[in-house]
Amino acid sequence: MSGPIRLLLADDQALVRGALAALLSLEPDLTVVAEVGRGDEVVPEARRTTPDVALLDVEMPGLDGIAATAALRAAVPGCRVLVVTTFGRPGYLRRAMEAGANGFVVKDTPARQLADAVRRVHAGLRVVDPTLAAETLATGASPLTERETEVLRTARGGGTVAELAAVLHLSEGTVRNHLSAAIGKTGARNRADAVRIAEENGWLLGE
């Protein structure tokens, strides 16, 4: 087994950052290796400490959390990003996901759920606060990219990942990534649920 999941925390409020570090450090499989109070400190500190997952606030001086997410994903692609914020606004969720965030949760998430979110993001899954996901969907615009829409449209008829990959002329890994993204963005439980939600919202219209 590998060692504990290494975490970087970025929040401009020292008390919040300290509380988050204390709570997460209670988990035996998590360890906080870095804490920063500015968005423009995220990339340099990540390069220095090589975290597995970065927990970023949205509103920070120097660089906001969404811009910091994009910069971190470009500079240290092996580090996954979980946005943890007071500002649970649908527009933030969409922008964070477009910037490359792997998850988006609000700060009042119970400690156990937050730790679980870190583990899931580390495992390659997308984690989105379900209430915020519902609010984002209620804004009407589809949160799905063109390719995610195409993959879900193809998945309507069922089939294995390998079969979908063959139809779409994509690798199985790419299909899995698009399905995972679509499930996260729609707040669905699984692939079939994502297809249902997308169909009900009219996002799969087309060929």
Side-chain angles (χ1 to χ4, degrees):
M1 290 292 290
S2 58
I5 299 169
R6 298 165 59 81
L7 307 178
L8 179 151
L9 308 183
D11 194 302
D12 63 330
Q13 297 180 53
L15 284 175
V16 172
R17 196 170 67 243
L20 209 56
L23 286 171
L24 293 171
S25 294
L26 293 174
E27 301 290 328
D29 59 336
L30 305 180
T31 182
V32 177
V33 296
E35 297 180 43
V36 298
R38 295 174 55 90
D40 52 6
E41 295 174 344
V42 170
V43 168
E45 195 65 10
R47 283 181 167 143
R48 189 181 71 82
T49 59
T50 61
D52 299 306
V53 179
L55 286 79
L56 308 184
D57 185 25
V58 170
E59 298 205 346
M60 292 186 288
L63 202 64
D64 69 60
I66 293 169
T69 293
L72 181 58
R73 294 293 287 156
V76 190
C79 180
R80 297 184 182 276
V81 177
L82 177 62
V83 175
V84 185
T85 184
T86 306
F87 302 94
R89 299 172 186 161
Y92 281 171
L93 170 58
R94 184 173 286 115
R95 286 174 55 214
M97 290 305 186
E98 289 171 352
N102 305 96
F104 193 107
V105 296
V106 291
K107 283 181 182 171
D108 59 4
T109 300
R112 184 171 296 177
Q113 288 183 27
L114 180 59
D116 185 54
V118 168
R119 295 183 187 103
R120 292 175 66 194
V121 163
H122 180 251
L125 302 174
R126 284 191 183 270
V127 179
V128 179
D129 178 84
T131 302
L132 192 57
E135 290 174 358
T136 300
L137 301 187
T139 63
S142 173
L144 304 172
T145 65
E146 184 176 345
R147 185 50 61 87
E148 288 160 5
T149 302
E150 182 183 16
V151 170
L152 273 192
R153 193 180 292 142
T154 306
R156 281 189 294 196
T160 65
V161 168
E163 289 168 341
L164 296 179
V167 170
L168 293 164
H169 305 292
L170 298 172
S171 71
E172 292 181 31
T174 298
V175 170
R176 286 194 188 91
N177 287 341
H178 286 312
L179 286 172
S180 175
I183 289 167
K185 289 179 181 179
T186 56
R189 295 185 303 276
N190 50 42
R191 184 175 88 180
D193 200 32
V195 170
R196 178 188 63 77
I197 290 168
E199 282 192 315
E200 288 176 357
N201 282 278
W203 297 335
L204 301 186
L205 297 177
E207 296 180 351

